[in-house]
Amino acid sequence: MNKQIAIEMKGVTKTFGSVIANKNVDLEVYRGEILAVLGENGCGKTTLMNMIAGIYYPDAGSIFIDGKEASIHSPADAFSYGIGMIHQHFKLVDLFTAAENIILGNHSGEKYNISKVSAEVRAIADRYGFHIDPDKKIYDMSVSEKQTVEIIKVLYRGADILILDEPSAVLTPQETDRLFDVLRKMREDGKSIIIITHKLHEVLSISDRVAVLRKGEHIGTVNTAETTAEALTEMMVGRKVELNIDRPAPENVQDRLIVKNLSMTNLDGIKVLDNISFTARSGEILGIAGIAGSGQRELLESIAGLNPLDCGEIVFNRPKKNLPVSFYHKSLADVKALAAEGKFHYEDGSAVDFTGKTNAEIRALVNAGKVLFNEDDVMNLRDKTPLQIREVGVRLSFVPEDRLGMGLVGNMDIVDNMMLRSYRKGSSVFVDRKKPSDLADRIVKELEVATPNTHTAVRRLSGGNVQKVLVGREIAAAPVVLMAAYPVRGLDINSSYTIYNLLTEQKKNGVAVVFVGEDLDVLLELCDRIMVICAGKITGIVDGRTVTKEEVGLLMTKTDSDVKKEA
Amino acid sequence: MMLLDYILTSVAIGMTFLLGCTGEILTEKAGHLNLGIPGIMCIGGASGCLALKACYDLPGFLAVIIAIIAAILGGALMGAIYSFLTVTLKANQNVTGLAMTTFGVGVTKYVMNGMAINATRNYLYALKYFRAPFASADTGLKYWGIMMYLAIGIALASAYVLTRTRVGLHLRAVGENPATADAVGINVTAYKYGATCIGSAVAALGGLYYIMDYMGSMEAYKTIEALGWLSVALVIFTLWRPQISIIGSIIFGLLYLAGTRIPTLLGINLGMSATPLLQMLPYLVTIVVLIITSIGKKRENQPPASLGLSYFREER
């Protein structure tokens, strides 16, 4: 290959305190190629790229650009070398328009003229096939539009080397395809593109070469055409990983959560959920597929008791008929009251009458399992707060999309975050710290959470580890219904499969699992049934074992007019 | 006639608010809530007066210039101390600001007390130069001196810089999202220092204006602190826009004087106890504006997004 080298890194090392983020990395990038940097979470991919982009400065080693040694002390230095980075968390000022964000930090001597910038932005967009309105404010934009602004910002400044940190993590399959088309055009234009990712199928579809990092070290660089997903995974993890998700047949299936005609209007007056009806069954994983923002978040939040509904019912069904009464959920007084209402019967079918019996006799009868329920325990969770839902004995676990916003408190340590679920337990005025502390230790050990100790603030952990802490806590609450929204978003392969296995394990334990996912391949492998929603409406509930990816994809974009045509 | 005098006087006192408010807006646009503004205004007045006392024999025109420069330097120094504590050392902005106010008020009391006792070669000789070119004490325009035009000029210039220039765009970016500004190569620390020091210098002029022009009195320094707090409230009232603050400061001036002027205007005697109630008006209006803008939820009317937060670069 007689291609020109754009960037060369030699012996680059970076440490944060006692943690080694990158150790002695040698890497080169050519002009006119797409290089994928692959590795698990916390392997130092982003740190390495941040050193090229001037966010960090290497402790040792050197970086050569076009054959000359470069010292990149700040993002401004990086720009002067023609390097631009598109971060995973967009660095945009919400209040500014696209054009204002693009011109930001540009110190060229020209007079400040925003309409001229807008015209230039349009020219760049046309050249590479972007769609963008330069005068639109960032807070009005979708995630994919924001990413476009980031890319144009870098191009506007004349970057020849583009670094994209997990560009597809927040995009739909269609948006990702469009992005990849643009990247290919840039490659033809002679630009060097570095993509940081952990999605293997993307690596294989877009990159020319793949550099694999593991624990801060550069394991090797291979040509994409000469490698396979399995080989890359092995390089990445250091051992063979089964890329199969175990999907046992559902056992002992019962209707657990019945949602009927649920509709909801959000604060802006837009109908985000429209007549949603479905049933989540125990021992089964129900997948929810749909383009981001189709109402998945609102649906789960409604069930969890966080959103007021316009109409509809959320019925929780606990099959109790002909099962023995226990004191686990009910006190003696409750049992007596229910008996007086005639809710119980004996094994032989005769009615239960506790009148004239002493408390000890009643206890003995109940504990012997002689008292049985007449009816299933059915309750409507609508308009109940999360606390009320818990108080009526429904163990509902919710892994929200916004991990550090709704799931965990970033500034608190792992133990304290465990206590968020248990602080009401116990009768003393002091909280019990022993059990949450044990639980935190167990989660750290069993889910292999990478953390110095359980007293580290959660926000200091990497995304995958935060998610493990959250999922671990929710599962530890022994749920009857487990709802998880995008639980593997931003996670590497190994962590993702850990999470999938945890969900499957819960399903085997008879939990009704509701899983909102974005990767259709995973949904098809993991879920027993898949419910597809589009713009707040259910467009289909299909069998996860027989349906194809294309069928689900079609349902995801089904519009009202399509539905009418069929009818 | 009394009504006209009321309005003209309100405009004049409004300029104190305007200078304090413009200074605070510049600081807040960089993401720093400077609650030291009242203290900084006091220091501005004190350092201006000290300079006037020192250059007793100079011609009036020069004396005014030197006093203004002294006030700017005094304010900038306070701004630099505040910036060092909050930008470099990343101390809590609210606590630091309150400490700066306490410090500024205390130092001013010490300095001005000394000057009030020692009445010879007093700083008040410069009063008439400050009130030029409308120095006549007979008209309602008696307070409309050069500093008033300076105040309006600074407010308009600030509005222009903030909305129409690259520097303003960068400054707003620093206040909205310093990490973004840093990533595109803007020197966040320099902008924070610069905006805070310039803002403090502008606010300091407010203190000088109040003593040397509006009040023209030995005892005036005692009330600057209260006016400083009103200036901070005015920032919210004006939705962080210097051009609105020109109108806002006049409204605040009207409201501030309402307690003493309106009863006279209407010819009623409210008595001593009712006056403080009317003096609450500027604060009440601020609260109402705050509520209205919160309901409106328009993003442009909200405070800078990173207001009050320290920026750590290395945080991952």
Side-chain angles (χ1 to χ4, degrees):
Chain A
M1 227 195 287
N2 58 351
K3 274 187 169 174
Q4 204 189 341
I5 292 180
I7 298 190
E8 192 175 5
M9 301 179 95
K10 277 188 185 161
V12 170
T13 301
K14 176 76 188 173
T15 54
F16 293 104
S18 59
V19 182
I20 299 169
N22 286 118
K23 195 172 154 196
N24 214 5
V25 175
D26 295 322
L27 187 70
E28 61 264 7
V29 188
Y30 296 98
R31 292 245 169 259
E33 77 158 354
I34 299 178
L35 175 79
V37 177
L38 185 70
E40 290 207 89
N41 273 356
C43 74
K45 299 172 292 212
T46 306
T47 310
L48 186 68
M49 291 304 125
N50 274 340
M51 280 190 274
I52 303 179
I55 306 277
Y56 301 136
Y57 192 75
D59 295 338
S62 40
I63 300 170
F64 295 85
I65 291 166
D66 292 330
K68 282 192 272 308
E69 182 159 3
S71 84
I72 308 170
H73 285 275
S74 71
D77 288 348
F79 278 121
S80 67
Y81 286 111
I83 300 167
M85 181 155 172
I86 291 109
H87 295 269
Q88 192 177 359
H89 304 286
F90 299 134
K91 304 226 164 170
L92 295 170
V93 181
D94 279 352
L95 208 59
F96 289 5
T97 65
E100 282 174 331
N101 267 292
I102 288 165
I103 188 81
L104 198 64
N106 200 324
H107 291 281
S108 70
E110 284 174 56
K111 199 176 174 294
Y112 176 71
N113 180 349
I114 204 73
S115 53
K116 188 163 157 269
V117 176
S118 296
E120 286 165 351
V121 167
R122 281 199 186 90
I124 294 175
D126 289 345
R127 185 162 154 206
Y128 293 107
F130 291 111
H131 299 284
I132 190 160
D133 174 8
D135 302 320
K136 196 170 175 185
K137 296 255 174 158
I138 299 296
Y139 61 74
D140 280 333
M141 287 190 173
S142 71
V143 177
S144 128
E145 281 176 293
K146 287 182 194 173
Q147 189 180 53
T148 308
V149 175
E150 284 278 21
I151 296 173
I152 295 182
K153 179 163 89 179
V154 170
L155 291 172
Y156 181 84
R157 298 181 137 213
D160 295 319
I161 301 160
L162 279 87
I163 307 165
L164 291 99
D165 191 357
E166 310 246 352
S168 65
V170 287
L171 302 182
T172 64
Q174 288 82 354
E175 285 168 336
T176 308
D177 287 344
R178 218 181 305 147
L179 172 71
F180 284 0
D181 285 341
V182 169
L183 292 183
R184 287 189 190 101
K185 271 187 197 163
M186 290 181 192
R187 173 175 62 186
E188 283 157 29
D189 218 31
K191 299 203 184 293
S192 309
I193 294 158
I194 306 174
I195 291 190
I196 306 175
T197 184
H198 57 251
K199 289 191 183 166
L200 284 171
H201 64 270
E202 283 178 5
V203 170
L204 294 171
S205 78
I206 183 129
S207 68
D208 298 310
R209 293 189 307 139
V210 193
V212 184
L213 294 187
R214 190 203 312 154
K215 292 190 176 143
E217 291 183 68
H218 181 210
I219 300 300
T221 303
V222 291
N223 288 327
T224 312
E226 297 159 13
T227 190
T228 61
E230 285 72 25
L232 287 175
T233 314
E234 205 180 325
M235 282 173 82
M236 202 162 106
V237 185
R239 57 186 148 89
K240 271 198 182 337
V241 174
E242 283 293 321
L243 291 186
N244 292 322
I245 301 172
D246 180 33
R247 178 163 56 182
E251 278 172 23
N252 195 13
V253 175
Q254 285 160 342
D255 289 358
R256 188 41 54 86
L257 194 67
I258 303 150
V259 173
K260 286 183 207 154
N261 308 95
L262 194 140
S263 293
M264 192 200 126
T265 313
N266 71 5
L267 290 175
D268 298 329
I270 298 162
K271 201 157 198 182
V272 278
L273 294 177
D274 192 358
N275 204 10
I276 299 265
S277 301
F278 69 94
T279 306
R281 299 180 187 141
S282 62
E284 195 185 73
I285 298 183
L286 173 70
I288 299 182
I291 295 167
S294 299
Q296 296 97 321
R297 181 197 179 124
E298 288 81 2
L299 177 59
L300 294 201
E301 285 180 11
S302 308
I303 296 171
L306 297 170
N307 285 337
L309 300 174
D310 296 347
C311 65
E313 297 203 341
I314 301 161
V315 176
F316 180 81
N317 183 33
R318 189 186 282 132
K320 283 275 173 69
K321 198 171 181 179
N322 298 332
L323 290 177
V325 177
S326 84
F327 284 121
Y328 190 73
H329 286 302
K330 294 188 167 50
S331 65
L332 182 66
D334 290 340
V335 170
K336 276 175 157 173
L338 287 168
E341 291 171 33
K343 299 271 189 196
F344 304 140
H345 64 88
Y346 288 115
E347 281 162 321
D348 56 6
S350 59
V352 170
D353 190 5
F354 284 150
T355 42
K357 288 201 166 63
T358 65
N359 286 350
E361 281 169 346
I362 297 171
R363 269 183 211 282
L365 275 171
V366 170
N367 285 337
K370 294 212 162 39
V371 183
L372 307 180
F373 283 100
N374 278 348
E375 296 289 334
D376 286 348
D377 192 0
V378 170
M379 56 191 107
N380 196 343
L381 301 186
R382 189 187 163 177
D383 296 334
K384 284 200 167 63
T385 65
L387 184 62
Q388 286 168 333
I389 292 176
R390 210 187 296 181
E391 275 171 353
V392 297
V394 176
R395 291 196 307 280
L396 189 78
S397 278
F398 180 29
V399 179
E401 184 180 349
D402 185 6
R403 295 163 202 169
L404 286 181
M406 279 176 72
L408 300 168
V409 180
N411 281 331
M412 293 189 347
D413 64 21
I414 301 178
V415 175
D416 284 352
N417 270 298
M418 295 301 141
M419 281 171 50
L420 288 181
R421 255 195 172 278
S422 62
Y423 70 99
R424 289 184 164 269
K425 288 190 181 142
S427 53
S428 135
V429 287
F430 299 105
V431 287
D432 176 11
R433 292 190 64 91
K434 182 79 180 69
K435 276 182 202 149
S437 174
D438 291 346
L439 176 61
D441 285 337
R442 220 174 72 218
I443 289 173
V444 167
K445 202 161 141 250
E446 286 176 11
L447 301 185
E448 296 170 6
V449 179
T451 169
N453 55 52
T454 53
H455 295 288
T456 308
V458 170
R459 105 191 119 81
R460 299 213 171 269
L461 304 180
S462 74
N465 290 316
V466 169
Q467 190 69 350
K468 283 180 188 170
V469 170
L470 176 56
V471 173
R473 184 189 74 191
E474 291 305 311
I475 288 176
V480 182
V481 177
L482 173 64
M483 300 189 293
Y486 307 111
V488 299
R489 178 175 277 180
L491 265 62
D492 59 70
I493 288 209
N494 220 10
S495 312
S496 299
Y497 280 79
T498 311
I499 302 282
Y500 299 145
N501 290 336
L502 283 171
L503 294 179
T504 307
E505 215 169 276
Q506 291 302 303
K507 159 183 152 181
K508 282 194 229 162
N509 292 344
V511 175
V513 180
V514 179
F515 170 78
V516 179
E518 48 198 341
D519 190 337
L520 285 185
D521 295 307
V522 170
L523 278 166
L524 293 178
E525 276 184 66
L526 179 71
C527 302
D528 300 296
R529 287 184 305 143
I530 298 173
M531 175 169 103
V532 189
I533 59 177
C534 175
K537 284 195 182 77
I538 294 184
T539 49
I541 298 180
V542 292
D543 188 333
R545 285 184 172 73
T546 55
V547 76
T548 65
K549 198 174 164 184
E550 286 68 32
E551 285 166 357
V552 177
L554 274 178
L555 288 172
M556 276 167 73
T557 52
K558 203 170 181 179
T559 56
D560 275 348
S561 54
D562 293 338
V563 177
K564 270 178 205 139
K565 251 181 254 164
E566 278 173 29
Chain B
M1 193 59 210
M2 262 165 71
L3 181 66
L4 183 70
D5 186 57
Y6 172 36
I7 292 169
L8 290 177
T9 315
S10 301
V11 174
I13 188 153
M15 292 306 114
T16 315
F17 302 137
L18 179 57
L19 285 163
C21 172
T22 310
E24 177 72 5
I25 289 175
L26 289 175
T27 312
E28 291 198 12
K29 281 288 177 187
H32 280 246
L33 179 66
N34 189 354
L35 293 181
I37 286 290
I40 290 168
M41 289 172 76
C42 290
I43 289 285
S47 47
C49 293
L50 268 182
L52 283 172
K53 195 184 161 201
C55 56
Y56 187 73
D57 295 327
L58 292 175
F61 172 68
L62 260 182
V64 171
I65 301 269
I66 289 173
I68 287 176
I69 291 173
I72 286 175
L73 288 178
L77 180 67
M78 289 289 279
I81 297 172
Y82 173 84
S83 307
F84 178 71
L85 291 170
T86 57
V87 180
T88 306
L89 302 181
K90 302 186 188 343
N92 180 297
Q93 294 180 13
N94 298 341
V95 178
T96 310
L98 291 173
M100 295 299 289
T101 290
T102 315
F103 170 72
V105 171
V107 168
T108 305
K109 267 187 188 147
Y110 173 74
V111 170
M112 298 300 279
N113 256 337
M115 278 198 280
I117 292 163
N118 185 2
T120 54
R121 278 165 64 106
N122 178 292
Y123 59 91
L124 284 178
Y125 76 95
L127 201 59
K128 58 177 182 288
Y129 305 122
F130 272 93
R131 288 183 180 171
F134 304 106
S136 162
D138 311 328
T139 66
L141 292 173
K142 65 178 172 180
Y143 307 119
W144 292 36
I146 46 168
M147 285 198 72
M148 180 160 183
Y149 303 105
L150 190 65
I152 293 174
I154 289 174
L156 290 175
S158 304
Y160 179 81
V161 168
L162 281 175
T163 53
R164 294 268 185 278
T165 67
R166 207 182 291 269
V167 171
L169 185 74
H170 290 184
L171 179 60
R172 283 187 288 141
V174 168
E176 286 291 330
N177 193 337
T180 297
D182 197 18
V184 295
I186 295 171
N187 189 337
V188 174
T189 311
Y191 268 93
K192 280 180 181 279
Y193 264 90
T196 308
C197 291
I198 294 171
S200 301
V202 170
L205 287 177
L208 180 67
Y209 168 83
Y210 185 68
I211 294 183
M212 289 314 298
D213 191 338
Y214 179 74
M215 289 295 272
S217 132
M218 286 288 196
E219 303 294 312
Y221 68 89
K222 289 178 181 164
T223 38
I224 298 180
E225 189 190 350
L227 298 174
W229 291 121
L230 274 173
S231 304
V232 175
L234 183 59
V235 174
I236 300 163
F237 180 87
T238 61
L239 308 173
W240 292 266
R241 286 179 182 81
Q243 64 273 38
I244 298 184
S245 70
I246 297 172
I247 310 291
S249 62
I250 295 170
I251 295 174
F252 264 44
L254 287 166
L255 293 170
Y256 182 75
L257 294 177
T260 46
R261 296 289 181 126
I262 287 182
T264 334
L265 263 177
L266 300 176
I268 46 173
N269 190 4
L270 277 175
M272 287 294 277
S273 54
T275 317
L277 286 176
L278 281 169
Q279 281 170 345
M280 288 189 333
L281 279 173
Y283 298 99
L284 281 179
V285 171
T286 303
I287 291 172
V288 170
V289 170
L290 207 59
I291 292 168
I292 292 169
T293 53
S294 312
I295 294 169
K297 273 189 183 154
K298 196 160 177 257
R299 290 287 296 268
E300 280 78 1
N301 292 342
Q302 302 305 316
S306 78
L307 185 63
L309 307 173
S310 298
Y311 173 57
F312 297 88
R313 180 193 252 190
E314 283 280 319
E315 194 165 47
R316 294 205 291 170

